Amino acid sequence: MKIGHARYCLTPQKEFYLIGYRSDNRYEPAEGVHDDIYGNSLLFEEDGKQIFLFSADFLEFEEEMAESMKTHMQEKYGLERDLILLSATHDHSSVVSYHKGWYTRKFDQEYYDFLIQTIEKSYLDCRANVQEAEVKVGKKVILGYYGNRNHPGQPADNEVIILKFLDKDGNAFAGMVNWAVHSTVLGDQNTMLTGDLAGAVCRELEKTFGFYPLMAVGAAGDCSNRNERKGKDFDELCRVSAALAKEIGEIPVDQELRMGKIQCQTLFHTIHGDDFHLDAKGWVMDLGGMQLFVFPGELGSAFGIQMKARCPVQGMILGYTNGYYEYFMPKEEYGLSFETKESKIPAGEAEKLVEKFIQAAIMLNK
């Protein structure tokens, strides 16, 4: 399989506002930049077919923007719409400027246009440097830094999966980290732009890997470091990110993945509620020895564990991708946490959707 990669800074160059937490300080301009936010890209190519994945230090992507970007990239470059993925690390201390629907109404058309252009340039960079690569994987359950935020001590999806792409000389030149945790060490009182946990761990891993890995967040709907953190400031972010990066960097990445023909199955699940209707979409992408479960929302961590366990090959979850629907939690959680007490998604619908994902994965592998 051929792999391309790119990385672009997404920090605004003029006054801007923050997104996330729905706190009153989001109505005021950000006080500055603590650390730059970035967009990291990967291009997977096999027999002329491509999957383009762009992951940004954002809270979320709006479905309208994702659909517009898909159309643009298909018309201009011939990419298949379903194989274009805009993913967010779910950063609650990121910029709001690209977001048309956020309640503070701080949308900035100039920044939106810049973002569209940057995504396109990222793809062109990937296409320009794409090369044959050997794909290796490593994984480990890492405890002590994050977990089930609603039920301390109970299971969450703490498995961290690493992909590394090696050139013809055996040197790793790009990669990906798939984990299931909110990027929210800092609290709602923070007024500085930052990549938070995902951004900080990415920077730390570059020191070990020799490249900045794309950070992909999985089934993290109920998973954060709320119960494990010792503060909500930048000192704590530094402590946690350094410790996590050390553990992740020590994971052996030595199992070869035999990649193959790219296939994609789009699935739909219609949900009817009281004065509510959602035609939810999802995608399963098969790359031979690996499958990507793509969903525009927040799955409960129990679903991530289940989906990967039943996946016929190496499975990875990409949440917060190509839109945002809200929380999809197990039915037994309803009424126990804020994710479900006011949810428009009726209990039991998430289970039906997850089963569709699993059946699509099995079908693609036959």
Side-chain angles (χ1 to χ4, degrees), residues 1 78 93 99 106 120 130 137 147 176 192-193 203 223 225 227 233 252 260 265 276 290 293 308 312 335 348 351:
M1 178 162 283
S93 292
H99 202 297
K106 301 300 183 182
E120 186 172 351
V130 69
V137 63
M176 174 177 170
M192 300 282 285
L193 181 69
R203 292 194 304 274
C223 194
N225 75 336
N227 301 306
D233 56 18
Q265 177 65 54
F276 176 74
M290 176 177 72
F293 295 94
K308 288 185 288 184
E351 282 79 0

Side-chain angles (χ1 to χ4, degrees), residues 153-209:
Q154 291 194 19
D157 187 2
N158 282 82
E159 181 183 57
V160 178
I161 304 172
I162 304 173
L163 290 183
K164 286 188 178 180
F165 306 111
L166 284 63
D167 63 20
K168 59 182 177 59
D169 297 319
N171 300 313
F173 63 89
M176 174 177 170
V177 172
N178 187 212
W179 62 357
V181 59
H182 273 60
S183 190
T184 52
V185 173
L186 302 170
D188 60 0
Q189 296 307 303
N190 175 54
T191 55
M192 300 282 285
L193 181 69
T194 171
D196 210 317
L197 186 60
V201 170
C202 179
R203 292 194 304 274
E204 289 292 324
L205 285 174
E206 189 275 336
K207 301 173 186 176
T208 303
F209 290 172

Side-chain angles (χ1 to χ4, degrees), residues 78-279:
L79 285 170
E80 291 187 31
R81 296 181 85 261
D82 285 348
L83 302 184
I84 301 168
L85 308 176
L86 303 185
S87 188
T89 63
H90 206 48
D91 178 4
H92 285 62
S93 292
S94 187
V95 62
V96 74
S97 306
Y98 69 98
H99 202 297
K100 295 180 179 179
W102 196 251
Y103 72 97
T104 55
R105 299 292 186 263
K106 301 300 183 182
F107 173 72
D108 184 336
Q109 184 67 50
E110 183 179 359
Y111 184 86
Y112 182 90
D113 294 341
F114 154 77
L115 177 59
I116 296 294
Q117 294 165 10
T118 301
I119 295 172
E120 186 172 351
K121 286 193 291 186
S122 293
Y123 168 70
L124 292 174
D125 280 1
C126 288
R127 198 170 70 172
N129 64 42
V130 69
Q131 61 181 299
E132 289 286 351
E134 181 183 9
V135 183
K136 290 195 174 182
V137 63
K139 50 191 173 182
K140 179 184 177 182
V141 172
I142 296 179
L143 303 174
Y145 303 99
Y146 59 87
N148 192 309
R149 65 184 183 185
N150 297 320
H151 307 289
Q154 291 194 19
D157 187 2
N158 282 82
E159 181 183 57
V160 178
I161 304 172
I162 304 173
L163 290 183
K164 286 188 178 180
F165 306 111
L166 284 63
D167 63 20
K168 59 182 177 59
D169 297 319
N171 300 313
F173 63 89
M176 174 177 170
V177 172
N178 187 212
W179 62 357
V181 59
H182 273 60
S183 190
T184 52
V185 173
L186 302 170
D188 60 0
Q189 296 307 303
N190 175 54
T191 55
M192 300 282 285
L193 181 69
T194 171
D196 210 317
L197 186 60
V201 170
C202 179
R203 292 194 304 274
E204 289 292 324
L205 285 174
E206 189 275 336
K207 301 173 186 176
T208 303
F209 290 172
F211 58 82
Y212 294 97
L214 182 147
M215 306 297 290
V217 181
D222 55 359
C223 194
S224 77
N225 75 336
R226 176 187 298 170
N227 301 306
E228 289 79 12
R229 63 191 174 206
K230 299 178 181 179
K232 296 191 291 184
D233 56 18
F234 285 103
D235 287 341
E236 176 65 1
L237 175 60
C238 182
R239 182 191 74 83
V240 172
S241 60
L244 264 172
K246 183 177 185 299
E247 291 222 28
I248 294 171
E250 293 174 351
I251 297 174
V253 184
D254 51 15
Q255 180 183 346
E256 184 179 356
L257 286 183
R258 296 195 176 277
M259 311 298 275
K261 179 181 177 182
I262 293 174
Q263 303 178 81
C264 177
Q265 177 65 54
T266 303
L267 56 94
F268 297 88
H269 185 68
T270 299
I271 300 171
H272 297 284
D274 296 333
D275 301 319
F276 176 74
H277 175 93
L278 174 65
D279 292 316

